Amino acid sequence: MNTPASILSSIDRQLHNQNNHPLSITRKIIASRFPSFKTHNTIFPVVTTKQNFDSLGFPPDHPGRSRTDTYYINKETVLRTHTSAHQADVFHANLSDGFLISADVYRRDAIDRSHYPIFHQMEGAMTWDRNASGPFLKRIREDLESLPKIENIEVSDPNPTIHPERNPLQGTHSAEEVGLMAAHLKRSLESVVVEIFTHARRAALTRGDDLPTKLEPLKIRWVEAYFPFTTPSWELEVFWQGDWLEVLGCGIIKQEILDKAGVSNRSGWAFGLGLERIAMLLFSIPDIRLFWSQDQRFLSQFSDTAPIKPFQPFSNKPGTTKDVSFWLNSTSSAAGGAVGKEFHENDIMELVRGVAGDLAEDVRLTDAFTHPKTGRKSLCYRIFYRSLERTLTHEEANGLHEDIRKKLVEGFGVELR
Ligand code: PHE
């Protein structure tokens, strides 16, 4: 068990189902592009390692399984790290050709304005019954042709090279079947990003007053990706405010997964995306902690029915930066993401969150140094404390920092410098 009580007590917040919340508004905008899909919005987050990893073909040594990255309840039970954890069960239930799963997901991670240990994902999948009446290929082609045409988009790389070492062609699928399912997948998701980014650009433009009558085409590209449960796999990137932004992962579902779920007669595609990242750009929300705010100055700014407009910050309080430097104890040896043998950088993040909660805005390693003679390692972390809702006093920040220093010694046996 490495799951703190503060995480467990947030399970019932269900932000993606809270009316007039930016995450539920974002969820509904995306779902509007899949009107015939069955939606699942209330699946409980405690799952088995079988559901979260094994059913999806994650190898036994996959880093995602490690206690440093994942919240365990016990040896075989975790808080789901992605909505894909439910793919196999929903395929098995076989209730519809297409489905969407929206849910809270949990990962031990860094502390900064775009990372939070709980976030929300949406999973979508569409499968066709190969044995239904009429030729399989013809049915996919008809479905593809019936999808709305995408306007105002510029796809710079519609078919990136797929490397068979990473994304082998599945023996059970012909190249033509994969081509048609992939085209259906890409067209469906291009329609999602055009919808989202049209809203986002309109919202951004409301800050200036002249609304142009026509938006420039949205620039996107498809990039080869790798997931244990799809092949081939892609990421969709959108050119947004000068950078390529990764919006979602997707691919053709590995047939093994459908076979094991008892629906070997079906083939199709799946995608997964993070709702926070999209909501942050839709509403110009600058810090991921804001989604958890219960302050009316935040919540009252969003509406299920009104057009999307940028969030207006209501508190611009300064924060306080404090450093903590320490020697790792002599038995610790640092390697990779591991700070020492006994702990990982994510453990420091957890410790800071345990003390400061949402008052810690950013934590980063600013210095690492190994003493040439003794071989001892020293680390310095810089913590930025700030409240998004009120002024944080110096006494309060000092108190939090002292507590963190104390717990670093107690928990990890470091020697403070
Ligand atoms: N579950 C993947 C993630 O969290 C996203 C994904 C879903 C990719 C479905 C492909 C298919 O990164």
Side-chain angles (χ1 to χ4, degrees), residues 81-82 84 87 107 121 123 227 229-230 249-251 270-273:
T81 63
H82 54 177
S84 304
Q87 269 193 20
R107 292 186 197 174
Q121 283 188 330
E123 188 95 0
F227 303 102
F229 36 95
T230 51
C250 64
F271 73 87
L273 54 79

Side-chain angles (χ1 to χ4, degrees), residues 320-346:
T320 315
T321 296
K322 290 184 186 298
D323 289 347
V324 55
S325 305
F326 50 85
W327 293 107
L328 296 181
N329 68 43
S330 49
T331 57
S332 304
S333 68
V339 169
K341 223 185 249 152
E342 292 83 8
F343 62 101
H344 184 278
E345 182 157 289
N346 285 344

Side-chain angles (χ1 to χ4, degrees), residues 37-44 47 51 55-56 80 82-103 123-127 253 257-258 260-263 265-266 269-270:
F37 282 34
K38 184 167 170 49
T39 56
H40 303 266
N41 297 331
T42 54
I43 310 181
F44 196 60
V47 300
Q51 288 171 296
S55 74
L56 294 160
R80 70 181 152 228
H82 54 177
T83 42
S84 304
H86 303 294
Q87 269 193 20
D89 295 334
V90 180
F91 287 135
H92 180 72
N94 201 6
L95 300 172
S96 57
D97 293 342
F99 63 76
L100 296 173
I101 303 168
S102 301
E123 188 95 0
M126 162 93 192
T127 59
I253 304 158
I257 286 154
L258 293 159
K260 278 200 244 149
V263 285
N265 55 312
R266 293 191 158 268
W269 54 250

Side-chain angles (χ1 to χ4, degrees), residues 185-261:
L185 165 65
K186 288 176 180 171
R187 174 98 59 92
S188 305
L189 294 173
E190 286 170 3
S191 130
V192 169
V193 290
V194 167
E195 180 74 13
I196 293 167
F197 284 85
T198 302
H199 280 288
R201 291 189 294 174
R202 291 236 171 81
L205 286 170
T206 59
R207 274 179 300 202
D209 22 32
D210 276 338
L211 265 182
T213 44
K214 201 168 170 297
L215 294 171
E216 289 288 298
L218 181 71
K219 272 201 217 147
I220 70 150
R221 68 181 183 197
W222 290 96
V223 180
E224 184 185 20
Y226 172 77
F227 303 102
F229 36 95
T230 51
T231 182
S233 311
W234 298 272
E235 270 158 9
L236 171 50
E237 296 185 349
V238 174
F239 195 69
W240 178 250
Q241 295 175 344
D243 278 315
W244 287 102
L245 182 84
E246 183 196 314
V247 177
L248 56 85
C250 64
I252 303 299
I253 304 158
K254 281 195 185 163
Q255 199 58 37
E256 266 171 78
I257 286 154
L258 293 159
D259 292 350
K260 278 200 244 149

Side-chain angles (χ1 to χ4, degrees), residues 138-149:
K138 183 159 166 275
R139 283 181 286 120
I140 312 176
R141 191 173 290 117
E142 282 166 5
D143 283 349
L144 173 62
E145 279 158 13
S146 72
L147 288 176
K149 290 275 168 303

Side-chain angles (χ1 to χ4, degrees), residues 63-75:
R65 292 182 186 258
S66 94
R67 283 172 44 86
T68 61
D69 291 21
T70 296
Y71 289 113
Y72 278 79
I73 303 295
N74 62 39
K75 203 165 178 298

